């Protein structure tokens, strides 16, 4: 398939949320060094959060060293993509993923839903990333959200017990 012209994708960033998301998804694998000014402008004006997260991740993966300002919910985040840890390499995210597998692997649908929630939350947290110390809380929150989405009250009650014992072990060995 033929690549869409860069100008077309950049103009889509000014469109509706669906267009912004489609553009960000297609821009993800492009060389963003050629359009940092346009992306800087986009990120500074309350962009659609999911689209912004994809672009921030792509900027981080390409280790672009320019300063950017991302405005989200009226708060400005100044960041340098080359200092942002991509989600898939974030130690806190990877630890949270491991904890999810440990805690809910006996329920494949809960595990897959919880992983999806965790991935979404991690992306929406960009340009910040989870620290390793936050992994337990992030995994627990994702698993609880997943249990709620699936209407799974029994697993949610079990999760509370697992998380409580995790917290106790963490304090004991800290």
């Amino acid at each position: 398939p033929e690549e869409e012209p860069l100008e077309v994708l950049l103009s889509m960033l000014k469109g509706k949320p669906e267009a912004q998301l489609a553009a960000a998804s297609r821009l993800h694998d492009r060389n963003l060094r050629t359009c940092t000014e346009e992306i800087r402008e986009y990120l500074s004006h309350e962009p659609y959060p999911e689209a912004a997260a994809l672009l921030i991740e792509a900027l981080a993966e390409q280790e672009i060293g320019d300063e950017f300002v991302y405005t989200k919910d009226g708060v400005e985040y100044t960041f340098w993509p080359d200092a942002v840890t991509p989600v898939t390499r974030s130690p806190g995210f990877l630890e949270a993923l491991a904890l999810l597998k440990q805690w809910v692997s006996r329920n494949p649908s809960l595990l897959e839903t919880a992983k999806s929630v965790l991935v979404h939350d991690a992306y929406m947290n960009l340009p910040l990333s989870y620290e390793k110390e936050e992994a337990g809380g992030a995994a627990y929150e994702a698993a609880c959200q997943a249990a709620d989405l699936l209407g799974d009250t029994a697993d949610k009650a079990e999760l509370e017990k697992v998380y409580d014992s995790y917290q106790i072990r963490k304090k004991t060995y800290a």
Side-chain angles (χ1 to χ4, degrees), residues 11 16 18 52 63 122 129 132 144 159 171:
S11 72
K16 292 184 177 350
E18 300 79 27
E63 298 179 355
S129 63
K132 209 164 182 169
C144 285
L159 269 170
K171 285 180 183 150

Side-chain angles (χ1 to χ4, degrees), residues 23-141:
S25 178
R26 291 184 194 117
L27 283 167
H28 192 273
D29 297 323
R30 296 278 190 89
N31 178 359
L32 299 181
R33 283 176 172 76
T34 62
C35 55
T36 56
E37 278 309 311
E38 292 89 342
I39 293 172
R40 184 177 288 112
E41 179 71 16
Y42 172 72
L43 291 174
S44 69
H45 289 94
E46 293 277 350
Y48 183 59
E50 278 83 354
L54 283 177
L55 286 175
I56 292 169
E57 175 83 353
L59 291 166
E61 286 174 354
Q62 293 181 29
E63 298 179 355
I64 293 175
D66 299 341
E67 179 181 308
F68 286 79
V69 174
Y70 171 39
T71 306
K72 180 179 174 186
D73 300 325
V75 178
E76 289 187 352
Y77 299 88
T78 300
F79 70 98
W80 289 260
D82 60 349
V84 172
T85 304
V87 168
T88 54
R89 287 183 279 190
S90 161
F93 171 78
L94 295 172
E95 176 75 14
L97 212 48
L99 287 169
L100 278 179
K101 288 175 187 168
Q102 183 183 324
W103 294 346
V104 296
S105 61
R106 65 181 166 31
N107 183 337
S109 61
L110 180 60
L111 177 60
E112 286 309 307
T113 305
K115 282 167 46 177
S116 294
V117 168
L118 179 66
V119 167
H120 181 265
D121 290 350
Y123 272 93
M124 297 312 296
N125 199 37
L126 286 169
L128 308 174
S129 63
Y130 293 128
E131 298 297 325
K132 209 164 182 169
E133 302 77 44
E134 299 171 302
Y140 175 69
E141 289 297 320

